Amino acid sequence: MKLLIVGAGGREHALAWKLAQSPLVSGIVAAPGNPGIAAIGRCVNVAADDAAGLAALAARETIDLVVVGPEGALAAGLADRLATLGIPCFGPTQAAAQLESSKAFTKDFCVRHGIPTADFKVFDDAIHAKAYLGTREPPFVIKADGLAAGKGVVIAETRREADEAVDQILFLRKFGTAGQRIVIEDFLPGEEASLFALCDGETAVFMGAAQDHKRAFDGDKGPNTGGMGAYSPAPVVTDAVIADAMERIFLPTVRGMAADGAPFRGVLFAGVMVTAEGSKLIEFNTRFGDPECQTLLRRLDADLLPVLHAAATGTLSSAAPLVFDPRPAVTVVLAAQGYPEAPLTGSIIRGLPEAAAHEGVEIFHAGTRRDEDGMLRAAGGRVLNVTAVGDDLAGAIARAYAAVDAIDWPGGFCRRDIGWRAL
Ligand code: AMP
Ligand code: GLY
């Protein structure tokens, strides 16, 4: 099979790395890809959210399966376009991608299908939103409805902050049209985890759990980011938590989407709060997490291609089960100085081959570019991912940081405490 991988980050490099190991793969094209992926497949300069351009590329290249990394192309209808061309797509249609692209859609869906989530209300005007805040207890959770790159959520400790967030989103359009509507929901105490399930429109298969670190700096300080590191498995996600999440979140979602006429194919990523009364859904994403994906795929002890193809073509129930290396894996994200507000790009990165030679370590490119002078330079906010597997979590962490320290990149930084909460 000839594959098209859509995206340019560490998640897509990890997908390419894992899929390239499959004996069933004859070639990999990536759009737009990155210098890490370029060592595995051919990169074509089509933007990751250009649904029309990507569909045309898939047709031109006679692609057998399109694997979509980021949400943009899904929300723009890439899977719908590929369906009309008869090209299987690992990733949901535009209608099914609303599970990520609209929080209001998802909350209503949860109510209709009995999926546990925080109590909420949806508003498009500030007066009613603030009146509702007056009836709730702090902390207040205020979310922009649409896609806001993980930044559209405000947790406000006081009424004043909450009112301000409402004004910022609804009046001042801090998140643009993504903030035309807001969701106000109750705060859920508990421990957070990311759970993944492959879905084929009818059924779902659990694909592992991870914990992410969203804040930029050690000790969960600083601004929110796309994710500064992850580890898997997540100790809080016991077998009982998995069974409960399949029973009360994933399976009802796949069945509910099918019943509503928008079957979900691809990977469903549930951000859940593990509470005393079982798991509650915080949000869905309709794609793999980044960097959770790198950590999960490092542990996958099976050919990834057949299961992605089965999910894309509605045949998951007859696919081989997913087998995971029981050993833990951890991913440390190296970001450019200034990330997330204003990452400084262009700084030179050296020492990757030496770092990648460390035992148990894989290095994925996230935001790099290779210039004509042959130099590798920072070209984004999150720039490199160092993923390591170890006999135990402490061992995986030690290996990851030993490799991080072998990278010569003064223009970058990373958190030094990835995974330490689980130790
Ligand atoms: P989201 O983009 O919906 O995942 O929200 C971003 C982050 O805000 C989550 O990862 C949680 O840490 C936090 N969060 C969102 N909703 C809630 C909630 N209802 N209760 C507590 N924390 C929340
Ligand atoms: N790391 C969180 C995300 O991919 O949304």
Side-chain angles (χ1 to χ4, degrees), residues 103 107 117-119 139 141-143 150-155 185-190 192 214 224 271 273 281-285:
K103 291 185 188 292
K107 296 297 283 193
T117 188
D119 285 343
V141 182
I142 297 130
K143 301 184 173 185
K151 293 171 191 122
V153 175
V154 177
I155 314 256
E185 68 181 29
D186 289 352
F187 183 83
L188 297 170
E192 207 174 330
K214 290 208 161 114
N224 261 321
M273 199 63 88
L281 182 73
I282 299 172
E283 66 157 358
F284 276 133
N285 295 302

Side-chain angles (χ1 to χ4, degrees), residues 57-385:
L57 174 67
R60 199 161 68 233
E61 294 279 349
T62 60
I63 295 296
D64 298 299
L65 175 69
V66 177
V67 178
V68 185
E71 62 276 17
L74 299 168
L78 175 58
D80 307 74
R81 286 174 186 272
L82 292 170
T84 66
L85 296 169
I87 301 172
C89 177
F90 179 78
T93 60
Q94 190 171 45
Q98 288 181 92
L99 286 176
E100 174 164 2
S101 66
S102 171
K103 291 185 188 292
F105 171 90
T106 301
K107 296 297 283 193
D108 288 335
F109 177 86
C110 286
V111 171
R112 277 188 289 118
H113 295 283
I115 294 156
T117 188
D119 285 343
F120 73 101
K121 270 201 163 27
V122 179
F123 298 95
D124 57 13
D125 79 283
I127 294 174
H128 289 100
K130 289 178 186 172
Y132 179 71
L133 285 171
T135 69
R136 314 310 286 180
E137 296 293 321
F140 307 97
V141 182
I142 297 130
K143 301 184 173 185
D145 173 53
L147 293 177
K151 293 171 191 122
V153 175
V154 177
I155 314 256
E157 298 296 337
T158 64
R159 224 355 249 292
R160 214 171 124 197
E161 277 174 68
D163 284 349
E164 221 173 87
V166 168
D167 287 336
Q168 288 268 341
I169 302 174
L170 284 177
F171 275 147
L172 301 175
R173 288 289 150 90
K174 186 172 178 196
F175 303 111
T177 54
Q180 272 167 340
R181 287 194 292 180
I182 58 172
V183 172
I184 298 179
E185 68 181 29
D186 289 352
F187 183 83
L188 297 170
E191 195 169 346
E192 207 174 330
S194 305
L195 275 62
F196 297 85
L198 298 180
C199 305
D200 72 350
E202 284 174 17
T203 191
V205 173
F206 185 66
M207 204 196 153
Q211 274 175 301
D212 187 12
H213 300 63
K214 290 208 161 114
R215 303 293 203 95
F217 308 129
D218 285 14
D220 290 332
K221 301 261 166 39
N224 261 321
T225 71
M228 294 299 290
Y231 54 94
S232 172
V236 63
V237 183
T238 59
D239 287 347
V241 168
I242 295 169
D244 175 62
M246 287 308 294
E247 203 54 42
R248 296 192 311 132
I249 296 178
F250 286 114
L251 289 168
T253 298
V254 178
R255 290 181 193 136
M257 290 299 283
D260 291 353
F264 186 92
R265 294 192 190 90
V267 59
L268 195 57
F269 161 179
V272 305
M273 199 63 88
V274 181
T275 75
E277 305 110 60
S279 296
K280 293 195 177 171
L281 182 73
I282 299 172
E283 66 157 358
F284 276 133
N285 295 302
T286 59
R287 49 166 178 88
F288 280 115
D290 185 344
E292 292 93 327
C293 179
Q294 295 83 309
T295 310
L296 289 181
L297 293 186
R298 187 64 186 79
R299 293 186 52 235
L300 180 64
D301 239 345
D303 190 340
L304 181 61
L305 180 65
V307 285
L308 296 192
H309 190 259
T313 56
T315 55
L316 211 45
S317 51
S318 54
L322 291 165
V323 181
F324 284 91
D325 186 336
R327 293 178 303 159
V330 55
T331 299
V332 177
V333 171
L334 281 82
Q337 301 284 356
Y339 176 77
E341 283 95 358
L344 284 169
T345 59
S347 54
I348 293 178
I349 301 162
R350 294 189 173 87
L352 287 196
E354 294 78 1
H358 284 232
E359 195 185 347
V361 168
E362 290 296 332
I363 296 182
F364 300 115
H365 291 236
T368 64
R369 65 166 202 259
R370 177 87 60 191
D371 286 341
E372 270 160 30
D373 58 7
M375 285 297 184
L376 195 68
R377 288 188 172 83
R382 294 188 293 173
V383 174
L384 292 166
N385 307 145

